[in-house]
Amino acid sequence: MQDDGTMLADRSVPALRRLLLGEWLGLLASSASQTSLSWWMASHGGAADLAIYGSAMALCSVLAMPLLSPLGDRLCKARVVCGARLGLVLEALLLAGLAHFGHYAFHWICLCGLASCLANAALLPAQASLLPELVPAAQLPQAIRLRRRAQALGSLLGPALAGAALGLRGSSASLLLSCGLAVAAAAAAWRMSASATPCRALPPRSRRPWSAELRAGLRAKWGIELDRWWTLCGALMMVFFQPATGMLLPLRLQALGLSAGWFGACGAALSAGLLIGLAGLADALILRLDRVRAIALAVALCGLALGGLGLCEQAPGLLLLFALIGICMSVTQLVGQTHRALAVPDAFRSRMAAAQLGTAQLAASLAPALAGFLLLLLDASLPAIYLIMAGGFLCNGLGLLLIPELRGFLRLDHEQVRDWYVRRYPMAFKGE
């Protein structure tokens, strides 16, 4: 059995390497594009355009994610990833063209965002659920760790590259850079598809009506009490976390008289902290405290750092706070990631990943609306708004620690947790 697992791992290495390379390049492209687009919109459209765009795109993702989620369970996941990457290339080309000709048209930007939402609705669930199919269960924790490091590195370099391009040549150059990175990510996805295990014939269940597939996936996701509350608590935390580190940040930096380069530097500091945590600091903390205590400490420190973003008046201090937030994120991401991936049965991975991502997108649609309401209510008093965001994050983080069965679930080893959702909640998969 060990030899078979080793051979499988050896055969999966090229596909795994190219999957992670494609994800890394894709994150470089998306993080650079988000940084560039946020600054371009903040400069031309202000807080109103940022709030409308953020809410509209998140709402679009909420609708598109579940509707397209059966693609990854019906079709070859590697081919779905390739097609979605090509769609993102076209969207990046159009955005770069608008910026190159100096044509700030909000409706065209929203159309580009719609195209990106549809492509990501197909890409993200398939990509998230593909990893367990490329490596054996024994090596899944190591593969997830490699993925997180690649993601952190992509998120680190993307804003830094975009910030440098913004400072040197403006939004046009930074969006053109994002377009080139999107092309490279599509090429890596194409090579990954060619080296992955050949796509298997569709099982009979995948020929059922599309609506039946959607109902089965949603029933499985929300019928599992542990996963349901974990997902909801995480989404509520994001409602307060995302504006503090995203939409409000350009306004905060501009209020302090800082340039676009500092915007990219803040994003890079966040990813640097995440990378430091994934390099060993998070593991040491989890080993020292255990998973539950480690996540409690990380949530508390992250909430305090969010409040500090509204009170700190010095740019270096902001960078240190973002680095601390990144370290805390590394702990929360590592705790339970492998367990949740193994607990989901193979036939439901894409749809349950889509439900997870769709809930996160729903939180993302509420986040700009909440931030916009607070901006109007408090007359754009950013320090006060940041303190409210920190308080909301901490309150919902406390709810995360009260999830039923969380402690027992995290104490299981990798073999015990395999298909645990099916054994513990069989009614959620009734008829499958």
Side-chain angles (χ1 to χ4, degrees), residues 1 12-13 48 81 84 91 94 116 141-142 146 162 194 215 228 235 237 260 266 349 354 411 415 421 432:
M1 294 295 291
S12 68
V13 165
V81 169
E91 178 262 345
L94 184 52
S116 177
Q142 182 182 3
L146 288 173
R215 288 195 302 270
R228 178 175 70 242
M237 292 168 70
C266 287
R349 282 195 174 122
R411 292 192 185 103
E415 288 304 319
Y421 286 167
E432 293 302 313

Side-chain angles (χ1 to χ4, degrees), residues 341-349 352 419 421-422 429:
L342 290 172
V344 177
D346 293 349
F348 282 81
R349 282 195 174 122
M352 292 187 69
D419 292 334
Y421 286 167
V422 178
F429 304 92

Side-chain angles (χ1 to χ4, degrees), residues 114-407:
L114 174 61
S116 177
C117 285
L118 293 175
N120 280 311
L123 169 69
L124 297 179
Q127 186 172 263
S129 58
L130 184 57
L131 191 61
E133 298 183 7
L134 295 180
V135 297
Q139 298 187 11
L140 185 58
Q142 182 182 3
I144 289 177
R145 197 175 309 279
L146 288 173
R147 164 181 268 177
R148 293 299 182 190
R149 288 174 182 171
Q151 290 173 343
L153 188 59
S155 299
L156 169 65
L157 295 178
L161 291 173
L166 280 169
L168 294 174
R169 302 297 297 272
S171 299
S172 174
S174 59
L175 287 170
L176 185 60
L177 171 66
S178 304
C179 181
L181 292 170
V183 171
W190 187 269
R191 294 193 65 196
M192 181 274 296
S193 178
S195 61
T197 303
C199 298
R200 295 167 292 183
L202 294 178
R205 56 164 291 281
S206 64
R207 292 194 289 268
R208 295 186 306 172
W210 197 268
S211 59
E213 293 290 304
L214 290 174
R215 288 195 302 270
L218 291 173
R219 183 174 63 246
K221 178 66 178 179
W222 301 115
I224 300 169
E225 184 180 10
L226 170 63
D227 205 75
R228 178 175 70 242
W229 287 112
W230 201 331
T231 300
L232 290 175
C233 285
L236 288 173
M237 292 168 70
M238 289 304 296
V239 169
F240 296 94
F241 178 86
Q242 190 179 47
T245 58
M247 169 189 165
L248 295 175
L249 184 57
L251 303 177
R252 176 69 175 146
L253 295 177
Q254 290 175 0
L256 294 174
L258 300 174
S259 67
W262 285 106
F263 185 39
C266 287
L270 178 68
S271 296
L274 182 60
L275 196 58
I276 291 170
L278 293 171
L281 183 57
D283 282 329
L285 187 62
I286 293 169
L287 184 63
R288 174 80 174 176
L289 300 178
D290 80 31
R291 289 188 178 100
V292 177
R293 292 196 191 102
I295 199 172
L297 178 62
V299 168
L301 290 176
C302 188
L304 293 175
L306 290 178
L309 294 178
L311 300 177
C312 182
E313 299 290 331
Q314 301 297 322
L318 293 176
L319 297 185
L320 291 175
L321 288 171
F322 268 100
L324 176 59
I325 292 171
I327 293 172
C328 295
M329 288 174 61
S330 71
V331 176
T332 59
Q333 288 183 2
L334 284 179
V335 171
Q337 286 292 324
T338 304
H339 276 46
R340 292 179 84 181
L342 290 172
V344 177
D346 293 349
F348 282 81
R349 282 195 174 122
S350 284
R351 281 171 289 169
M352 292 187 69
Q356 173 81 22
L357 294 166
T359 306
Q361 292 294 343
L362 179 59
S365 69
L366 297 174
L370 173 63
F373 172 75
L374 291 175
L375 283 169
L376 294 174
L377 181 66
L378 300 177
D379 194 25
S381 177
L382 289 173
I385 293 173
Y386 267 96
L387 291 177
I388 292 173
M389 294 296 179
F393 179 87
L394 288 171
C395 288
N396 287 289
L398 176 63
L400 180 68
L401 303 176
L402 301 177
I403 295 175
E405 299 184 294
L406 177 67
R407 288 173 172 80

